[in-house]
Amino acid sequence: QKYLGDDYVAAVVAEWASSNFGVQIDAADLRGLRSIEDLEDYIKAQARAEAETNIGVKKVEFMGEEPESSADWDTKGLSSWAMSEYRVNVSQAQLRKMTADELEDRLKEAAIEQIEKRDVSLAMLEKAG
């Protein structure tokens, strides 16, 4: 039943997107997307939106509600998180020189760059096939 169901491929693709892009996609949302290009566009759009939301949440977590002063930031945690999540190597000293908006912009650019670099088509075909 699981493997012959109409949503099996969509479920596999949604699971793959979760593992490889960290984005939760409902298999039903993939219905009607028949080409790899459409799937790739959809997955990457969801990943970009998720990254922007995630960066906003983490900004508050590491910088506080009103991040005017970098002296109050958890620069060590923020630096480690940026590297592990988006492969952005920003030292604590560099962080202290940035404004909160500059840092957020840099993280968003890095996240989008990482998302766009990923090749969805071949990997997804191998997994779903």
Side-chain angles (χ1 to χ4, degrees):
Q1 180 87 12
K2 175 182 174 183
Y3 300 109
L4 296 176
D6 292 338
D7 288 340
Y8 174 70
V9 173
V12 169
V13 171
E15 184 179 323
W16 180 88
S18 176
S19 297
N20 290 277
F21 283 85
V23 63
Q24 298 303 312
I25 297 175
D26 189 318
D29 294 339
L30 300 175
R31 287 188 191 133
L33 300 176
R34 295 290 176 226
S35 73
I36 292 299
E37 292 80 15
D38 290 344
L39 286 168
E40 182 171 21
D41 290 345
Y42 183 80
I43 290 168
K44 287 184 176 184
Q46 295 301 309
R48 287 189 298 271
E50 180 75 22
E52 288 197 15
T53 299
N54 193 23
I55 289 167
V57 168
K58 291 296 182 176
K59 178 182 168 184
V60 172
E61 181 180 322
F62 289 112
M63 299 175 165
E65 292 289 332
E66 297 181 25
E68 292 85 27
S69 173
S70 63
D72 298 332
W73 298 356
D74 174 5
T75 54
K76 182 177 182 181
L78 184 55
S79 178
S80 295
W81 176 79
M83 177 55 95
S84 68
E85 194 71 23
Y86 300 113
R87 297 180 186 103
V88 177
N89 189 10
V90 185
S91 72
Q92 293 181 51
Q94 289 172 315
L95 288 173
R96 287 187 191 100
K97 292 178 185 176
M98 292 181 186
T99 67
D101 290 338
E102 288 171 337
L103 179 59
E104 185 173 7
D105 290 344
R106 180 158 182 200
L107 289 175
K108 285 180 181 179
E109 288 171 13
I112 289 170
E113 183 179 310
Q114 291 300 318
I115 290 165
E116 294 305 322
K117 281 183 183 179
R118 296 179 189 159
D119 180 23
V120 172
S121 58
L122 182 58
M124 191 181 336
L125 280 174
E126 290 172 355
K127 176 74 176 171

